[in-house]
Amino acid sequence: MLGGSVLWFRHGLRLHDNPSLHAALEDRSVPFFPIFVFDGETAGTKLVGYNRMRYLLEALEDLDNQFKKYGGKLIMLKGKPSDVFRRLWEEFGIRKLCFEQDCEPLWRARDDGVKSACREIGVACREYVSHTLWEPDTVIRANGGIPPLTYQMFLHTVTIVGDPPRPVPDVDMSGITFGTLPDCFYQEFTVFDKTPKPEDLGVFLENEDIRMIRWVGGETAALKQMQQRLAVEHETFRKGSYLPTHGSPDLLGPPISLSPALRFGCLSVRSFYWSVQDLFRQVHQGRLSSAHFITGQLIWREYFYTMSVNNPNYGQMADNPICLDIPWKHPEGDELQRWIEGRTGFPFIDAAMRQLRAEGWLHHAVRNTVASFLTRGTLWLSWEHGLNHFLKYLLDADWSVCAGNWMWVSSSAFEALLDSGECACPVRLGQRLDPSGEYVRRYVPEIARMPVDYIYEPWKAPLDVQTRASCIIGKHYPAPLVNHIVAAQRNRNAMKELRQILQKAPPHCCPSSEEEIRQFMWVTE
């Protein structure tokens, strides 16, 4: 019995700002086992498309390469976590299991099972908060035992809690004794001697186009991206502004968002938060106090996590106390499938849905547009359809934040009672965000030759224009799935009737101000 400590990676796929790593290496006289267990659920692998799985595997390979520099490796195997750790105890007498907190309720059964097994065999479990800025339970206690029902109340509560902790220092990895698995593990579990490919885990390419923009997973890429992002923020702060992509998002540029890296924990949210805050203070030399507004998207992430932590039904309508029970209609014919596949006949919607499948990514302004189109804007279908699709294909989709966004945009929660006034138009928003139509031409090549005057409404093009563009509507590219203007008006009327029936809002989440709605929906004056 050699003893030993285990670092169990789930999210938090990094070495920087990793308090669990510090704890696992407190005693360097015993073997160290860094482990990732493919249990069919961890890190969002229950519902997963090719791009998401590839991003995760690249993050694991990056960790493996970093450990190899110090004579070790990341142990990757398939199995049930509690079985794996029990066997490590039987073979090595491991004494300590360390991991980063996964606060969402869907991980509770897994973690409770592991903690229970560790109690039985006398292995200490050490859990640390570093995937969120604040521990959600701490925020809830500070708010009197209930989650804050508005974003402004959340801001008020975390002001009382105080600043989030700063990142912990990097760990000196030299001189570590890495544990290795005995042969019996190869007989009892599927052990990967090198990082598996998505196909090894039963995930295959569908319609993803691997020639499109590629997002690269892993801590090394994430830290480089953060430095590039901070350079952009520095310029923006110097000009007296902030949120550089908010007013004029670049729909065609290279990947710059850090949200996939934050979602998998390749980048520490605390490192990014404090880097931005410190940069703001440095640029303004203390003349302006930095505030939550410069890191607002990170705070929204925290808010959604906190709202979900004690609500296991947060990702569905049924029995979800913060979600309005809107009577969405059942999909008719192939309308849901046409939305999923990008065949609605609305080029801006179709470009976005195809980009999602091809690259695993959408700009937030575009996400809101396709979500509004599916739900209260046009098709009047439940947000649950959209959530499940995004959870499979969107690189940065985690359960709490993604469900929160879908509830907001569909008017189901996090907004004023059934107020569909800020419904994104699938034609006008595209014209504003990409007047030249290049975004549509990239992802919907059937209409690439359509003149700019008709690129967002090709069904209005005269037949001779369609012929010259080699795109006959109804033949080469579908006619609109619905009359959007008629559908939008019908939905507004339905919302109005529902509002009168409900009279007043049940205790669901809603925004604090009109400005908050505009910022969330990326709607400018």
Side-chain angles (χ1 to χ4, degrees):
M1 300 284 273
L2 301 171
S5 64
V6 175
L7 175 55
W8 178 23
F9 286 100
R10 300 103 67 85
H11 295 103
L13 304 177
R14 64 180 184 277
L15 302 186
H16 74 281
D17 186 33
N18 193 330
S20 308
L21 177 61
H22 279 267
L25 293 174
E26 281 172 342
D27 182 358
R28 296 190 172 224
S29 67
V30 298
F32 169 58
F33 297 89
I35 286 182
F36 185 90
V37 183
F38 292 96
D39 59 359
E41 292 190 7
T42 291
T45 52
K46 187 173 184 177
L47 182 67
V48 64
Y50 195 87
N51 283 317
R52 273 171 65 91
M53 182 60 89
R54 179 173 59 188
Y55 191 95
L56 166 64
L57 296 176
E58 286 171 351
L60 296 177
E61 183 162 35
D62 185 68
L63 275 178
D64 188 42
N65 289 335
Q66 293 192 70
F67 285 131
K68 281 176 179 171
K69 293 175 188 173
Y70 299 98
K73 63 179 293 185
L74 177 66
I75 297 168
M76 291 173 269
L77 45 74
K78 282 173 79 172
K80 186 179 176 184
S82 54
D83 292 344
V84 172
F85 303 136
R86 187 182 291 274
R87 289 292 291 118
L88 283 170
W89 173 75
E90 290 169 353
E91 291 292 325
F92 297 97
I94 59 165
R95 286 276 161 237
K96 186 163 56 175
L97 173 67
C98 305
F99 50 89
E100 179 183 78
Q101 181 194 72
D102 273 346
C103 64
E104 296 168 306
L106 67 165
W107 309 117
R108 205 153 290 153
R110 177 200 63 187
D111 289 357
D112 286 349
V114 167
K115 290 173 184 176
S116 175
C118 285
R119 276 195 301 273
E120 284 178 30
I121 57 181
V123 172
C125 271
R126 305 272 291 275
E127 184 178 25
Y128 294 87
V129 177
S130 54
H131 191 63
T132 51
L133 293 170
W134 295 275
E135 182 180 25
D137 284 337
T138 302
V139 177
I140 290 168
R141 280 195 302 273
N143 193 52
I146 58 170
L149 275 180
T150 69
Y151 179 70
Q152 286 300 324
M153 181 55 73
F154 181 83
L155 290 180
H156 173 71
T157 307
V158 296
T159 302
I160 294 169
V161 172
D163 286 338
R166 283 192 174 262
V168 299
D170 289 348
V171 175
D172 177 8
M173 299 287 291
S174 58
I176 295 170
T177 303
F178 284 88
T180 56
L181 297 181
D183 290 343
C184 59
F185 269 71
Y186 286 79
Q187 291 152 17
E188 296 171 40
F189 304 98
T190 301
V191 181
F192 298 100
D193 282 325
K194 62 180 183 179
T195 310
K197 302 297 181 193
E199 292 84 356
D200 300 327
L201 297 160
V203 180
F204 299 92
L205 276 169
E206 297 172 44
N207 294 327
E208 295 91 342
D209 186 340
I210 55 175
R211 297 168 299 172
M212 293 290 189
I213 290 174
R214 266 276 273 122
W215 291 72
V216 178
E219 179 179 26
T220 302
L223 289 172
K224 283 180 187 168
Q225 270 189 301
M226 183 175 79
Q227 291 309 315
Q228 293 163 355
R229 173 66 179 268
L230 291 173
V232 173
E233 296 286 352
H234 184 271
E235 270 310 293
T236 310
F237 291 160
R238 237 174 29 82
K239 294 172 183 172
S241 183
Y242 66 99
L243 291 177
T245 67
H246 208 127
S248 52
D250 182 0
L251 302 183
L252 292 163
I256 60 168
S257 174
L258 298 172
S259 56
L262 291 169
R263 180 253 179 270
F264 284 98
C266 304
L267 176 65
S268 154
V269 66
R270 303 190 302 194
S271 294
F272 183 43
Y273 174 89
W274 281 112
S275 294
V276 174
Q277 294 285 344
D278 291 344
L279 180 65
F280 187 89
R281 289 183 184 129
Q282 174 196 326
V283 168
H284 294 289
Q285 298 179 345
R287 292 188 302 272
L288 293 173
S289 63
S290 56
H292 294 309
F293 65 82
I294 62 169
T295 42
Q297 287 167 282
L298 298 183
I299 309 299
W300 275 110
R301 175 181 184 267
E302 295 289 310
Y303 177 44
F304 286 142
Y305 272 128
T306 303
M307 290 307 305
S308 77
V309 71
N310 292 323
N311 182 0
N313 298 320
Y314 179 86
Q316 63 191 48
M317 278 178 57
D319 302 316
N320 182 350
I322 67 165
C323 180
L324 296 176
D325 189 14
I326 297 174
W328 306 109
K329 71 180 178 67
H330 292 291
E332 297 169 358
D334 63 350
E335 60 182 351
L336 177 59
Q337 200 58 31
R338 284 178 63 177
W339 177 81
I340 285 171
E341 295 174 0
R343 295 186 296 109
T344 67
F346 291 91
F348 192 63
I349 301 295
D350 293 346
M353 297 307 292
R354 295 184 195 187
Q355 182 188 18
L356 172 61
R357 290 287 287 272
E359 300 168 12
W361 174 254
L362 286 178
H363 189 281
H364 280 275
V366 182
R367 296 180 196 198
N368 288 340
T369 309
V370 298
S372 175
F373 184 90
L374 178 73
T375 58
R376 63 186 170 92
T378 305
L379 296 183
W380 198 258
L381 298 179
S382 171
W383 58 271
E384 292 168 308
H385 299 298
L387 172 62
N388 288 329
H389 186 64
F390 273 29
L391 285 175
K392 183 172 182 179
Y393 293 105
L394 194 60
L395 290 177
D396 64 4
D398 53 15
W399 185 74
S400 294
V401 181
C402 199
N405 277 297
W406 273 99
M407 281 190 276
W408 178 302
V409 176
S410 67
S411 286
S412 299
F414 301 109
E415 64 94 78
L417 178 64
L418 304 176
D419 175 12
S420 58
E422 294 291 358
C423 188
C425 173
V427 174
R428 287 199 308 272
L429 192 64
Q431 291 169 334
R432 179 172 73 78
L433 295 178
D434 179 36
S436 67
E438 287 309 304
Y439 176 71
V440 165
R441 296 179 207 281
R442 173 185 287 181
Y443 295 103
V444 190
E446 306 98 294
I447 58 172
R449 295 172 61 187
M450 194 68 72
V452 70
D453 290 351
Y454 299 106
I455 193 73
Y456 288 106
E457 298 174 289
W459 61 89
K460 290 186 176 179
L463 187 57
D464 63 319
V465 173
Q466 296 181 30
T467 302
R468 284 197 300 274
S470 302
C471 181
I472 305 299
I473 301 306
K475 180 181 178 184
H476 303 112
Y477 179 70
L481 183 56
V482 293
N483 182 320
H484 166 69
I485 296 170
V486 171
Q489 186 57 51
R490 182 177 64 240
N491 295 351
R492 274 193 292 271
N493 293 338
M495 285 289 189
K496 188 175 178 182
E497 288 173 20
L498 279 167
R499 197 157 51 232
Q500 290 169 347
I501 293 168
L502 288 168
Q503 293 297 316
K504 62 176 186 174
H508 79 309
C509 304
C510 59
S512 310
S513 65
E514 180 75 14
E515 178 58 26
E516 188 177 301
I517 297 171
R518 288 187 159 277
Q519 286 190 357
F520 187 88
M521 290 295 290
W522 295 73
V523 177
T524 54
E525 294 294 348

